[in-house]
Amino acid sequence: MEPLIPPLYAGQLIRLTGIDLEKDPETEARWMRDPAYLRSFGEDVAFPKSAWQVKKQYEALEKDADEHATMFHFQLRPLDDERLLGFARVCWISWPNASGFVQLAIGDPADRRKGLGADALGVLLRYAFDELNLHRLSARVPEYSLPAQRLFGKFGFQVEVRARRMLERDDRRWDQLEYGLLRSEWAIRAA
Amino acid sequence: MDDNLLRGCLVRLSAEDPEPLAAGLSRWWRDSEFFRLLSFHASPMFSPKHVREWLEKELEKNPPEFYLFGIRSLDDDKLIGFMDLGRPSQSGNCWVGIGLGERDYWGKGYGTDAMQAALRFAFMELNLQRVTLNVFDYNARGVRSYEKAGFEVEGRVREAILRDGVRHDVIFMGVLRENWLQGTAQSSLRHLRSTAGRLALAQHPRGAAGSRPERGAGAGGRQGISEPEGPVLS
């Protein structure tokens, strides 16, 4: 019998899952060899990590999530197999203010432009608003990350901040955009 | 080069031992009105010992993870607040936070003076490209103070703060190096290079008392600070 409420972690194409400490580090280390992947997130230095380092990072991430409960990180996989596609997370949560940030990525360029990111974001937003009960979400996107801008815009995020010349890469300065989505705005669209 | 990098007209930025700074911070943070202007976190009530232990750990780090200063009034060398500049990004940005914990010093230009010193340090010593801060929409005095120091509003994060059942926006502000070097920076650079190191300030009650040394010319400098200021914050 079909459940009355859709499971929290499943979209149409992807599902939110946990970290596989044995297999995932190698995949992520491979994505990191593309500087564009590392640079897509924002201002952190595009410094690739080895699988060993990625595994340490995952372990630290789980420990931090456990201790502070201000981040909920998910690995993205297809509905029917275990291949790692990317990640999606709600982070920097301020509980008294019921606010947080979202980040997500599809790691392999061959997996992009197939609707996976949009599917993942939809599931993540439901988790953020209906499970974490947040009031609003933010996302920071570099000016040069056009697919991310399209994706957030598609879900009704609005540009709230333009931090001028915040990033410098390849001898050029770029703005950093900060997007915001209120629960009320999401609820209307999700209905 | 000049020694006015960290010294303004009303305050100087100081290196502090853990004891006085921890005592100040734990006392100021317990002023809930001050804390709510400073931070979006739930107002805490840390013991001075707890704050001191945290501070000792931070102050021991070399290089520091962030640049933490005390703010001391030049007149009586009293510790009236703090300022911190976060670790610069490789793109040359950092975040600044400031708080004047001593209420007697609110509304008199001390905060703006301290922020101007902070920006001199940021642009002329850390060589940054921009400085960023957040200020809450209910801190109108803070917003005005930062604008006077050269910050411009870059956006509003809507309904990001909930206090007393009311939602407030967080205002995002930034100052760019090239703008700071022109505009209001002219007065800062003159200040930096002047031997007297003082700019004329209009309507400063302590100055009128005549306890300060003779002021430098500051001709054509910025207008005096005529509006009251609040405990400026990060």
Side-chain angles (χ1 to χ4, degrees):
Chain A
M1 186 184 113
E2 291 240 14
L4 291 173
I5 299 170
L8 208 48
Y9 304 123
Q12 303 293 318
L13 303 171
I14 58 88
R15 58 198 165 95
L16 308 186
T17 71
I19 299 169
D20 180 338
L21 283 170
E22 299 319 308
K23 300 213 185 94
D24 291 349
E26 229 178 274
T27 310
E28 177 132 21
R30 187 165 34 85
W31 297 339
M32 285 186 173
R33 280 161 31 188
D34 178 5
Y37 172 75
L38 291 168
R39 288 171 143 188
S40 66
F41 300 110
E43 64 179 5
D44 284 350
V45 175
F47 182 57
K49 303 268 173 20
S50 67
W52 181 91
Q53 287 175 300
V54 172
K55 184 173 179 182
K56 290 287 169 198
Q57 254 179 230
Y58 282 150
E59 288 168 348
L61 195 152
E62 287 207 299
K63 182 165 182 281
D64 181 87
D66 206 11
E67 283 172 6
H68 297 121
T70 56
M71 169 171 52
F72 295 80
H73 173 100
F74 301 99
Q75 304 283 65
L76 302 174
R77 300 182 205 277
L79 289 177
D80 295 329
D81 70 69
E82 298 302 318
R83 188 164 76 90
L84 182 65
L85 294 169
F87 73 86
R89 64 161 71 132
V90 187
C91 58
W92 298 343
I93 295 169
S94 167
W95 290 112
N97 300 302
S99 66
F101 278 73
V102 292
Q103 293 176 341
L104 76 163
I106 302 296
D108 194 327
D111 288 327
R112 295 184 198 143
R113 303 191 72 90
K114 289 179 177 168
L116 300 180
D119 195 51
L121 184 54
V123 180
L124 189 72
L125 291 182
R126 177 153 177 261
Y127 189 86
F129 288 123
D130 274 352
E131 182 68 8
L132 301 180
N133 301 319
L134 298 181
H135 176 78
R136 62 153 288 131
L137 296 171
S138 302
R140 282 195 183 153
V141 180
E143 185 186 357
Y144 51 74
S145 282
L146 297 175
Q149 289 174 41
R150 282 195 293 270
L151 180 60
F152 287 116
K154 188 168 151 163
F155 279 82
F157 282 77
Q158 293 180 28
V159 178
E160 292 174 327
V161 177
R162 179 175 281 270
R164 299 158 299 160
R165 299 165 67 78
M166 178 70 102
L167 305 168
E168 179 162 352
R169 289 207 150 111
D170 292 343
D171 201 32
R172 197 197 131 153
R173 298 200 72 89
W174 307 83
D175 298 345
Q176 181 175 81
L177 305 176
E178 191 158 316
Y179 284 81
L181 181 69
L182 304 179
R183 191 188 192 288
S184 52
E185 295 168 336
W186 170 80
I188 291 172
R189 299 167 78 92
Chain B
M1 292 191 203
D2 186 79
D3 60 9
N4 285 328
L5 184 73
L6 298 174
R7 177 188 302 264
C9 305
L10 298 173
V11 303
R12 64 181 177 96
L13 302 180
S14 56
E16 295 292 332
D17 282 340
E19 186 62 50
L21 189 53
L25 286 172
S26 66
R27 186 161 42 82
W28 300 328
W29 287 343
R30 288 171 188 224
D31 175 352
S32 60
E33 186 187 343
F34 170 75
F35 192 85
R36 283 176 143 193
L37 290 163
L38 179 69
S39 167
F40 59 75
H41 295 301
S43 303
M45 200 159 282
F46 295 124
S47 66
K49 172 174 178 283
H50 186 79
V51 177
R52 198 184 64 242
E53 282 168 2
W54 165 78
L55 250 191
E56 281 174 1
K57 263 202 265 179
E58 290 304 322
L59 293 175
E60 252 195 80
K61 292 177 186 170
N62 196 17
E65 271 190 34
F66 50 91
Y67 297 100
L68 178 61
F69 292 91
I71 297 172
R72 287 194 179 257
S73 66
L74 287 173
D75 270 350
D76 52 13
D77 208 41
K78 182 168 175 173
L79 181 64
I80 63 172
F82 74 93
M83 188 281 293
D84 72 277
L85 288 161
R87 189 152 43 110
S89 71
Q90 87 281 10
S91 299
N93 171 70
C94 83
W95 285 76
V96 65
I98 191 168
L100 290 190
E102 296 297 327
R103 284 170 173 257
D104 288 347
Y105 293 79
W106 293 5
K108 295 169 181 169
Y110 286 80
T112 305
D113 195 57
M115 181 58 89
Q116 285 168 335
L119 292 182
R120 282 196 297 278
F121 185 76
F123 289 122
M124 303 278 93
E125 182 61 25
L126 297 181
N127 303 316
L128 297 176
Q129 293 295 316
R130 57 166 285 144
V131 178
T132 309
L133 61 81
N134 274 346
V135 56
F136 308 148
D137 67 9
Y138 51 81
N139 188 3
R141 290 187 296 190
V143 175
R144 279 202 301 278
S145 173
Y146 300 141
E147 283 176 335
K148 274 182 221 154
F151 285 87
E152 293 174 73
V153 174
E154 292 177 317
R156 299 176 76 106
V157 181
R158 298 165 301 152
E159 302 187 19
I161 292 186
L162 176 62
R163 273 181 164 144
D164 292 333
V166 178
R167 285 258 162 212
H168 297 278
D169 298 345
V170 172
I171 299 170
F172 200 106
M173 300 182 81
V175 53
L176 301 179
R177 180 185 187 80
E178 50 271 29
N179 294 346
W180 185 83
L181 288 171
Q182 301 163 24
T184 55
Q186 287 308 320
S187 60
S188 277
L189 285 175
R190 273 201 296 278
H191 172 92
L192 202 54
R193 291 167 183 155
S194 78
T195 50
R198 306 273 183 191
L199 292 170
L201 272 185
Q203 295 179 24
H204 181 236
R206 284 173 185 263
S211 62
R212 292 142 54 84
E214 193 153 324
R215 294 186 177 135
R222 34 185 278 121
Q223 289 305 301
I225 295 162
S226 54
E227 288 176 54
E229 293 185 355
V232 292
L233 60 91
S234 62

